[in-house]
Amino acid sequence: APTLLYYKGSADLNASKVLSIVGTRDSTEYGRTVTEQIVQSLVKHQVLVVSGLAYGIDIAAHRAAVKSGLPTIGVMGTGIDIIYPSVHQFDAQKMLNHGGGLLTEFPFGTAPDAPRFPARNRIIAGIADCTIVVESTSKGGSLISADIAHSYDREVMAVPGPITVATSAGCNYLIKSLKAVPYTQPKDLEELLNWDNALASAQVKATACDFNSPEFTEEERRVLRTLKEAGATHIDVLSRHTGFPMNQLSAVLLTLEFGGMVKAQPGKKYSLV
């Protein structure tokens, strides 16, 4: 974790819904269009948009957020007083003027240097509930952000693209290797993160259900009671409370999920529907 963070702006870093949008610097018209569409779909959820203030997809995400009236934070690989690339100074100021912010772990006066940008990707991944990779080459820096987010137990999504286009190779690889969920429409993201009861179509609501009902096994009852008392709980904590080994607990949770009783949340947490 960073020893210290420098922050400038008024955006709430503890916003209830935070999304990182990253991608190649050599973005295509397709990638920029998809980025704008993703950001526009976030307005009704009032999401905090995070990216890296770089060329390509990053700056497209920041500009789309400002245009849509959403707060957006740029995580920098320089000191808070040095905007890089310098051509984005105007965009950075607009972000600040529209309720956004700038964030870095590097002290004042730190100049841009290649190793600092992959390092800042762990902040981009760690600050958000989910990281969406819009476009990436097979060795793109966005894959670093995706791998880090995956290691942090954060959700990762990738926008699929044509197999003949180099800037879609990284995204297609993430999907193929099961490191990312495909993003094809806003509902994909809403369902993945359970925003605004996106899965509320489940026929049975756990909070109104009798956990002593014979339709549940004793293992299921124990999990349901624990979640009712504790609220959203990490799977490791749930394992300790119930006394179930991880393989047994995972099977029980999967059954309850299919039954519309339990929902998975970002960070390997589970809660009642």
Side-chain angles (χ1 to χ4, degrees):
T3 303
L4 182 66
L5 286 174
Y6 299 84
Y7 179 57
K8 180 179 182 180
S10 57
D12 180 10
L13 297 181
N14 291 314
S16 60
K17 297 175 182 177
V18 185
L19 182 70
S20 289
I21 301 176
V22 297
T24 179
R25 295 169 185 241
D26 299 319
S27 60
T28 66
E29 183 63 30
Y30 166 74
R32 292 188 292 272
T33 299
V34 170
T35 299
E36 291 181 4
Q37 292 177 350
I38 291 174
V39 173
Q40 288 171 4
S41 73
L42 303 176
V43 173
K44 64 179 179 180
H45 297 288
Q46 287 302 294
V47 177
L48 173 63
V49 177
V50 179
S51 198
L53 205 64
Y55 291 112
I57 297 301
D58 287 19
I59 197 63
H62 292 308
R63 288 170 177 168
V66 170
K67 182 179 178 181
S68 301
L70 292 175
T72 180
I73 291 178
V75 182
M76 304 160 62
T78 61
I80 201 75
D81 55 332
I82 299 178
I83 303 298
Y84 181 83
S86 58
V87 294
H88 292 163
Q89 289 186 15
F90 178 72
D91 294 288
Q93 190 58 53
K94 286 187 69 174
M95 291 160 58
L96 293 170
N97 294 342
H98 289 79
L102 302 174
L103 186 67
T104 183
E105 65 178 310
F106 302 109
F108 288 87
T110 301
D113 189 29
R116 297 193 178 104
F117 292 95
R120 64 93 192 267
N121 288 352
R122 75 191 194 286
I123 300 176
I124 294 176
I127 199 174
D129 304 313
C130 176
T131 296
I132 296 184
V133 183
V134 177
E135 282 188 312
S136 176
T137 60
S138 58
K139 295 183 180 180
S142 301
L143 298 186
I144 298 176
S145 298
D147 283 339
I148 294 173
H150 193 267
S151 72
Y152 289 167
D153 291 332
R154 304 302 170 93
E155 301 292 353
V156 180
M157 302 191 81
V159 177
I163 61 174
T164 56
V165 179
T167 51
S168 292
C171 292
N172 292 340
Y173 164 77
L174 288 172
I175 296 170
K176 179 183 177 181
S177 59
L178 304 181
K179 290 185 177 180
V181 176
Y183 178 98
T184 60
Q185 58 180 333
K187 189 177 180 181
D188 296 335
L189 176 65
E190 294 168 349
E191 290 186 348
L192 182 66
L193 298 182
N194 292 308
W195 280 354
D196 293 343
N197 296 319
L199 301 180
S201 58
Q203 294 180 351
V204 181
K205 297 297 182 181
T207 51
C209 188
D210 179 12
F211 296 157
N212 294 316
S213 170
E215 67 179 291
F216 301 118
T217 66
E218 180 55 38
E219 291 84 359
E220 291 170 345
R221 292 192 196 102
R222 194 182 303 181
V223 170
L224 291 170
R225 291 192 191 105
T226 301
L227 291 176
K228 185 175 182 180
E229 293 174 2
T233 306
H234 192 279
I235 190 170
D236 291 341
V237 178
L238 196 56
S239 177
R240 290 198 297 271
H241 277 295
T242 59
F244 295 151
M246 196 60 68
N247 59 343
Q248 180 183 6
L249 177 59
S250 297
V252 173
L253 287 171
L254 185 61
T255 300
L256 291 173
E257 252 193 294
F258 285 152
M261 305 300 297
V262 167
K263 62 181 178 181
Q265 295 186 343
K268 292 189 176 180
K269 289 184 176 181
Y270 289 84
S271 67
L272 298 179
V273 172

